[in-house]
Amino acid sequence: LMGLFLSEMLETTTTIIFSPNNALQRVWKDTLDTRYHNTPSYYIYGGNKEPTGKERYLVFNHENLKFAFETLKKVIKKGTKINVIVDECHAFNEMKSDRTKLLIEICNYLNCQETLFMSGTPFKALGAEILPFLWIADPYFNANTEERFKKIFGNNGARSLDILSARIGRSSFSVEKDLIIQNKRYEIDLKVTLDNGHEYTMSAIRKKMETF
């Protein structure tokens, strides 16, 4: 919902969404159908109709980016103001992946004005995981920059977090849990007796594992 409303605020003509397969219907279609007073025109991958390019939103599957690219070449006109939303973007944090390379190619082809990477865990381990985002979001990022970047940050996950907070923090927005969940938590110790409790002791489990 945040991504859709951001597109409205940016006044983009077309929003292209790349979604995991299990979120196509349950998340994106349901949101488009129920969260607006007037449902906008949209296309969801796997539906009965083909996209025309006149839709406000186009939602494609992570697993079929080739189809998405072929379709977008046909229906998106040059000069269209585009916002791209990459849902669960951590699926594209490996530069050697064909899927990641194709996503970068698609975004460069579309010349999208805005790109929104969405994930609960965008960068988890290595500084290099931030490279796909930089290739898509930064017009000055190129092969030479990538090589220099990897020499400095590529093998260190902590450095990518430093970059995120110091530089890319300007384009990220986080909400602390305490601002949303304000109910008080109560802890109660409740002792429970099990008839077969001896089966769950460390020594009993160790014997089962050794047998296994």
Side-chain angles (χ1 to χ4, degrees), residues 90-105:
H90 55 263
F92 298 92
N93 61 12
E94 174 52 63
M95 279 299 299
K96 294 180 180 179
S97 164
D98 290 339
R99 180 169 60 178
T100 300
K101 293 176 182 177
L102 189 53
L103 177 68
I104 295 171
E105 187 179 355

Side-chain angles (χ1 to χ4, degrees), residues 18 22 90 92 97 104 109 114 208:
F18 297 110
N22 61 1
H90 55 263
F92 298 92
S97 164
I104 295 171
Y109 173 84
E114 312 290 346
K208 289 183 179 180

Side-chain angles (χ1 to χ4, degrees), residues 138-170:
D138 188 348
Y140 294 104
F141 199 82
N142 55 37
N144 182 43
T145 315
E146 178 183 339
E147 285 304 311
R148 293 168 178 264
F149 181 95
K150 286 192 292 188
K151 288 179 180 179
I152 302 172
F153 305 110
N155 297 317
N156 193 319
R159 295 286 74 79
S160 68
L161 296 178
D162 289 345
I163 298 165
L164 179 64
S165 61
R167 300 286 296 279
I168 300 174
R170 298 177 181 179

Side-chain angles (χ1 to χ4, degrees), residues 40-52 55 57-58 67:
S41 59
Y42 67 85
Y43 161 83
I44 298 279
Y45 174 80
N48 295 325
K49 64 175 184 177
E50 295 295 323
T52 63
E55 292 85 1
Y57 297 97
L58 298 167
F67 168 82

Side-chain angles (χ1 to χ4, degrees), residues 95 104 108 130-139 141-143 146:
M95 279 299 299
I104 295 171
N108 288 338
I130 210 170
L131 291 174
F133 173 80
L134 294 174
W135 268 104
I136 291 173
D138 188 348
F141 199 82
N142 55 37
E146 178 183 339

Side-chain angles (χ1 to χ4, degrees), residues 15-64:
T15 297
I16 299 165
I17 299 157
F18 297 110
S19 161
N21 188 56
N22 61 1
L24 288 173
Q25 302 291 327
R26 184 172 55 85
V27 176
W28 289 104
K29 186 178 188 303
D30 288 353
T31 301
L32 287 164
D33 284 341
T34 62
R35 298 297 183 179
Y36 286 82
H37 293 297
N38 297 308
T39 301
S41 59
Y42 67 85
Y43 161 83
I44 298 279
Y45 174 80
N48 295 325
K49 64 175 184 177
E50 295 295 323
T52 63
K54 297 180 180 179
E55 292 85 1
R56 179 74 177 82
Y57 297 97
L58 298 167
V59 188
F60 295 98
N61 187 346
H62 278 188
E63 305 304 324
N64 207 336

